[in-house]
Amino acid sequence: MKEAPRDEIACEATFLQRSSAIQKGAGLLVVDRKTLCILAANQTLCDAYDKPKGLDDVFQKGDADSIADSILTDKRIDSCFMRLRKGEFVWASFFDADAHIGVDLTYVGENFLRSENTSHVFANCVQSLSREHEVLMRDSSVEHSNYFDLLVQGVQTLSGFDRVMLYKFDPDLNGEVLAEARSRSDVPAFLGLKFPSGDIPRPARDLFLRNKVRQIMEVAASPEPVVATDDGSRPVVFNQTNSAFRYTAPVHLDYLTNMGVSATLTIGIVVHRKLWGLLSCHNMSGRRQMPPDKLTLCHVISDLASNHVARLTERQRILASEQTGKILSRISQTIQSAETPDEFANVISSFQDDILSLLDVEGLQFESETTNLIIGKIPSSQSVSKIDQFAKVWQGNHDRNYIATADLHRLCSDLPEDARQFGGLLHFASWDAKTRLKVFRKTEEQSDTWAGDPNAKERYADTADNVMHPRNSFASYKENTLGCSKPWEEATVQVARDLQSGLRNIEMSFHKSLRERQLRQSNAVMRNALKHASYEAHHDQLTGVYNRRGFEKLLSEMSPRGKRSNTMWLCHIDVDHFKKINDTYGHLAGDAVLVHVAAALTQAVAERGSVARIGGDEFSIIMSGNLQSEQVSALCGDFANYLKGPFFHNGLEISVTCTVGITTFEAGAEPSSAILTRSDLALYSGKSKGRGTFSFFSPDMEDESKARRCLEQEIERALEDDEFIPYFQPQIDVGTKGIVGCEMLSRWNHPKKGILGPAAFLATA
């Protein structure tokens, strides 16, 4: 970015139009929105109409009523021809002036439409531009120079100005003349010359986004005051930003005078809401005012050229984006194999040659909240930190989220020595400032031809007030620069912008996938932990079969199966004489016996049921009711046969037998306690018949159990009531026939049944 020959900060802050004067030869009114009173007018109009107060003091009644109606109803007022009270024919244009309405008046003759034949010229210009535009859209290899030549030639023919230049801004906001049309050979040529960015400072560029067409009818003319209509002399200051005839800053008038220009017409070309370039029309002698119809057509040409350039720029952007998209697509596909942030960075770095070649740069840095990726060569971290600090301030001041400069050290001075090898910088920040892309180009000797020395400054003895002065000469000036890089092309800027956006999307996708993968792994670990915990909670650690909790869970999860049979089998197994085994061989031997029994049950049941250890030496088997009782008996037989084999522990043979009680139950119809009660009765019945047997439950077992419980309760009560009495029976010596002793026998003196012998209670007691 080149400084113009003036202090840049002062220029950026300068108000570029006088707010209490307009160009000479035009008219201006300031109208109150509410009262419709004329508050101010240019001096000539104020004097001619004797300090006008109302619209009908200036306009003929029909036009005055039309303006008043539009203002009061807040309608849009289009520019149109009107007559003033004294008969003048004017072109009236309306604009907002803060709380007021401004009216620009262009004086025209009665016969201007008949004397000016513009339609044919305008139609030829539009047709030529449209045809060339279609050629460029069909073939991207065709140079744009022919279109630009047609554009300036058409505008020069339409406007009649001596020189028309197409002036395009580069990323550093310096301008270059791409095309030029001159009416005669003695008019100085600027084709191919560059102008420093300060020649058209930011406030001036911003104004072209408001009003695309701007004319200065006579550079040398003195400004005409805008005065209050109440006294006809007091200057009135108001916002003339949108006025077509606002007076120009003196520094710009001096600039045009030094260039030898007497009148100008400037047409802005706006692409994607940014000022792409200007069509600058210069008259070299005398006053020149564009008639309203031609000025309107200049607006149309501005819109047409803006549209064409936008489409051509968009085509270039699409072509550049396609190249970037191919690389990003390959990165995205390869990145799927990355499992860590380091692997992510390595994958992108593997495309270093492709990325640097596409951008034609030495290196770049991509930063985000989680990534700091460096590809190729970049300045030191100290230099990059200073660049970031400057970029933050610069982007804030210029309301832009990127910097594109080929003159890094003029833009950001006092960088460390290691940064001297880099002259070009592209600096992009995302809208939320969470990602940044910095692209660096090496310094190369650059040769630029300027319109005058861009570094020259006129020095006056009386410049203590820091007045800005433009350069006097615009002659061709060749400058060789060592600290810059080659300029950034629009396509390269677009590639870098797409690359930043693409890398951010890839990074977000990677981290999303990484989080999902980590979540899946965490969930898998959690599931395994829960599975293990559930297994531990429902399985016996010693034998590996279900424990009592697992047994209860199996029963609780059983539910009726509709019309199918819901009958299930439950076998209750008890290890015979287990306490004796523990006492005789030790607890380790007892544990080995339990493992042996669990293995025997599991082998016997196979896939037909589930085995559980529900107590110290008690097991249970749940089996499908599809099995017949004979099959269950056979299973118990298989189990018994398996246990008959010799079992050794530490060299000692241990005899192991089990007793089994068997019952049926309805799935999901009764609690486990009721089922176990029945199987326990069957087990008790089996033990009463002798160990190592199995017994099926029958209803009479419940009667016997109830009788046994009643008898136990009666025995306990009889003990409390001393109902047991001793009976003494003598012992007689057979040889001597004499009594040698006695034995005592217990009898129960039952209150209802009388004297009961031991057979009635001894087994239960």
Side-chain angles (χ1 to χ4, degrees):
M1 181 181 292
K2 277 289 190 185
E3 290 185 12
R6 44 85 182 127
D7 179 79
E8 185 175 4
I9 297 177
C11 185
E12 291 289 328
T14 299
F15 195 56
L16 292 186
Q17 71 278 351
R18 294 191 180 188
S19 56
S20 60
I22 63 169
Q23 296 183 47
K24 195 172 186 64
L28 184 136
L29 298 173
V30 181
V31 182
D32 185 274
R33 291 179 185 270
K34 296 181 179 179
T35 65
L36 303 181
C37 293
I38 298 176
L39 304 178
N42 62 296
Q43 188 72 65
T44 300
L45 193 65
C46 187
D47 294 342
Y49 287 89
D50 192 21
K51 305 173 187 176
K53 302 298 190 300
L55 292 170
D56 53 1
D57 291 339
V58 176
F59 296 95
Q60 292 190 1
K61 181 171 176 52
D63 290 336
D65 291 344
S66 176
I67 296 171
D69 179 66
S70 296
I71 293 176
L72 291 176
T73 57
D74 201 25
K75 293 180 181 177
R76 173 185 171 86
I77 311 176
D78 294 324
S79 299
C80 59
F81 290 104
M82 293 185 173
R83 281 194 181 277
L84 305 187
R85 278 184 51 211
K86 293 186 177 182
E88 300 101 317
F89 200 39
V90 296
W91 176 259
S93 301
F94 302 85
F95 62 91
D96 289 329
D98 295 334
H100 309 303
I101 294 290
V103 186
D104 284 328
L105 301 177
T106 303
Y107 293 92
V108 296
E110 289 278 0
N111 61 347
F112 85 96
L113 287 174
R114 293 188 295 274
S115 62
E116 296 285 351
N117 182 16
T118 61
S119 299
H120 180 69
V121 173
F122 174 74
N124 284 342
C125 177
V126 170
Q127 289 174 3
S128 298
L129 291 175
S130 297
R131 282 196 299 267
E132 186 63 23
H133 171 255
E134 292 304 319
V135 171
L136 294 174
M137 289 299 293
R138 287 194 300 268
D139 188 352
S140 60
S141 65
V142 177
E143 295 291 334
H144 296 178
S145 56
N146 191 44
Y147 177 89
F148 296 148
D149 288 339
L150 291 173
L151 178 60
V152 295
Q153 290 166 10
V155 173
Q156 197 275 328
T157 303
L158 181 67
S159 66
F161 277 81
D162 295 327
R163 179 177 58 217
V164 176
M165 304 183 302
L166 176 61
Y167 177 100
K168 178 183 180 297
F169 295 105
D170 66 16
D172 278 324
L173 300 178
N174 301 317
E176 181 179 0
V177 179
L178 302 182
E180 183 180 60
R182 294 178 294 153
S183 62
R184 56 184 193 273
S185 59
D186 63 332
V187 176
F190 290 114
L191 181 62
L193 300 186
K194 300 184 73 172
F195 289 77
S197 62
D199 282 12
I200 304 179
R202 180 185 174 188
R205 295 192 299 271
D206 290 345
L207 287 174
F208 278 107
L209 297 176
R210 292 171 175 262
N211 291 328
K212 293 181 182 179
V213 180
R214 167 88 166 114
Q215 65 173 326
I216 300 176
M217 297 176 288
E218 188 175 1
V219 172
S222 300
E224 181 170 356
V226 176
V227 297
T229 55
D230 56 359
D231 64 8
S233 60
R234 176 171 51 85
V236 174
V237 177
F238 74 103
N239 185 2
Q240 294 186 30
T241 299
N242 296 315
S243 173
F245 302 121
R246 62 180 184 272
Y247 192 66
T248 308
V251 64
H252 186 56
L253 296 177
D254 291 345
Y255 176 92
L256 294 172
T257 300
N258 293 347
M259 191 184 282
V261 175
S262 63
T264 70
L265 172 69
T266 308
I267 304 171
I269 298 178
V270 178
V271 175
H272 302 312
R273 293 181 294 182
K274 295 180 181 179
L275 190 62
W276 179 89
L278 299 171
L279 282 165
S280 294
C281 308
H282 295 159
N283 216 49
M284 309 312 291
S285 61
R287 174 186 176 87
R288 186 168 187 83
Q289 178 179 351
M290 287 285 287
D293 60 336
K294 288 189 176 182
L295 205 58
T296 300
L297 294 179
C298 286
H299 274 278
V300 175
I301 289 178
S302 169
D303 292 339
L304 179 67
S306 296
N307 178 266
H308 284 173
V309 172
R311 291 185 66 190
L312 293 173
T313 302
E314 180 66 13
R315 178 176 174 80
Q316 290 178 325
R317 187 196 70 78
I318 291 173
L319 293 175
S321 296
E322 286 176 353
Q323 293 179 290
T324 314
K326 291 177 182 177
I327 294 179
L328 291 172
S329 177
R330 289 163 54 201
I331 292 175
S332 181
Q333 291 174 2
T334 310
I335 215 76
Q336 294 177 6
S337 62
E339 296 185 355
T340 66
D342 288 342
E343 291 182 8
F344 169 82
N346 290 337
V347 168
I348 298 179
S349 296
S350 68
F351 289 86
Q352 171 175 316
D353 293 343
D354 293 332
I355 294 173
L356 298 184
S357 175
L358 180 63
L359 291 167
D360 190 18
V361 296
E362 274 55 57
L364 61 84
Q365 181 182 28
F366 175 76
E367 283 186 301
S368 69
E369 294 176 311
T370 57
T371 302
N372 182 18
L373 177 66
I374 296 174
I375 296 177
K377 296 179 181 179
I378 69 170
S380 66
S381 57
Q382 181 183 3
S383 297
V384 172
S385 178
K386 284 193 173 184
I387 292 172
D388 285 339
Q389 293 172 9
F390 168 80
K392 184 176 181 180
V393 175
W394 191 93
Q395 290 167 348
N397 292 338
H398 291 77
D399 192 27
R400 234 169 60 176
N401 67 345
Y402 76 95
I403 297 174
T405 179
D407 197 353
L408 171 61
H409 300 283
R410 183 183 291 271
L411 192 68
C412 184
S413 58
D414 300 326
L415 288 176
E417 188 63 29
D418 68 275
R420 291 293 170 187
Q421 59 182 307
F422 301 98
L425 169 70
L426 290 179
H427 191 292
F428 294 90
S430 62
W431 63 270
D432 55 6
K434 291 184 177 181
T435 62
R436 288 179 294 188
L437 178 70
K438 286 153 277 187
V439 183
F440 296 92
R441 262 184 182 166
K442 67 181 180 181
T443 57
E444 295 180 4
E445 183 175 358
Q446 299 296 315
S447 180
D448 295 308
T449 305
W450 300 89
D453 181 0
N455 302 304
K457 288 190 177 183
E458 293 296 330
R459 301 185 182 277
Y460 297 89
D462 58 346
T463 56
D465 58 351
N466 195 29
V467 174
M468 296 177 292
H469 301 285
R471 59 190 180 277
N472 280 333
S473 173
F474 289 83
S476 176
Y477 177 85
K478 190 171 184 178
E479 180 185 45
N480 294 323
T481 310
L482 295 177
C484 301
S485 72
K486 66 179 182 180
W488 295 103
E489 306 81 4
E490 289 184 2
T492 304
V493 175
Q494 183 60 47
V495 165
R497 183 181 284 112
D498 291 343
L499 187 64
Q500 180 210 15
S501 176
L503 288 178
R504 182 183 186 186
N505 291 337
I506 290 174
E507 181 198 33
M508 292 173 63
S509 177
F510 166 75
H511 284 289
K512 179 182 178 182
S513 297
L514 182 61
R515 288 192 298 269
E516 290 175 350
R517 186 162 55 248
Q518 291 172 340
L519 182 60
R520 287 195 298 269
Q521 292 172 349
S522 177
N523 288 341
V525 171
M526 181 64 72
R527 284 194 299 269
N528 290 336
L530 290 174
K531 185 176 180 181
H532 179 72
S534 176
Y535 183 88
E536 291 289 322
H538 297 95
H539 287 76
D540 181 50
Q541 292 185 358
L542 177 63
T543 62
V545 299
Y546 285 105
N547 57 16
R548 182 61 178 257
R549 181 179 294 177
F551 169 76
E552 298 281 356
K553 186 172 183 293
L554 286 174
L555 290 178
S556 66
E557 290 177 348
M558 292 181 178
S559 57
R561 296 174 292 177
K563 296 181 179 180
R564 297 173 58 191
S565 172
N566 298 314
T567 302
M568 304 291 289
W569 290 99
L570 177 71
C571 299
H572 192 168
I573 301 99
D574 183 73
V575 181
D576 297 333
H577 307 298
F578 183 70
K579 184 177 183 304
K580 182 178 179 181
I581 293 173
N582 267 337
D583 294 342
T584 305
Y585 301 104
H587 289 285
L588 292 179
D591 290 344
V593 168
L594 294 176
V595 172
H596 177 60
V597 171
L601 291 173
T602 303
Q603 182 177 355
V605 172
E607 301 296 328
R608 293 173 290 183
S610 300
V611 180
R613 181 186 175 200
I614 60 175
D617 61 345
E618 295 181 57
F619 294 85
S620 70
I621 301 173
I622 301 174
M623 293 182 296
S624 169
N626 293 332
L627 298 175
Q628 301 298 319
S629 59
E630 293 81 2
Q631 293 174 296
V632 176
S633 299
L635 184 147
C636 292
D638 293 341
F639 169 58
N641 291 332
Y642 182 85
L643 290 181
K644 286 180 180 179
F647 174 69
F648 294 91
H649 177 72
N650 290 339
L652 299 175
E653 183 176 356
I654 303 176
S655 176
V656 181
T657 60
C658 292
T659 302
V660 182
I662 306 167
T663 187
T664 59
F665 66 95
E666 296 298 314
E670 53 186 324
S672 60
S673 57
I675 303 170
L676 287 173
T677 297
R678 294 199 300 274
S679 65
D680 194 52
L681 291 174
L683 178 65
Y684 181 83
S685 175
K687 286 187 176 184
S688 67
K689 298 176 183 177
R691 307 282 177 168
T693 62
F694 60 89
S695 177
F696 287 88
F697 171 79
S698 61
D700 59 346
M701 292 180 181
E702 286 186 319
D703 296 336
E704 293 175 1
S705 176
K706 290 178 182 178
R708 188 166 55 253
R709 285 197 299 273
C710 290
L711 180 58
E712 289 172 353
Q713 292 172 356
E714 285 192 278
I715 291 173
E716 291 177 359
R717 179 189 54 76
L719 289 172
E720 292 176 359
D721 294 344
D722 293 331
E723 292 180 0
F724 289 98
I725 56 178
Y727 273 60
F728 295 95
Q729 181 172 298
Q731 294 178 335
I732 300 173
D733 186 332
V734 177
T736 64
K737 308 296 183 180
I739 297 174
V740 296
C742 65
E743 60 181 0
M744 186 181 72
L745 301 175
S746 181
R747 298 291 184 268
W748 183 1
N749 186 12
H750 196 281
K752 294 181 179 180
K753 299 178 181 179
I755 301 298
L756 299 176
F761 62 85
L762 191 59
T764 302

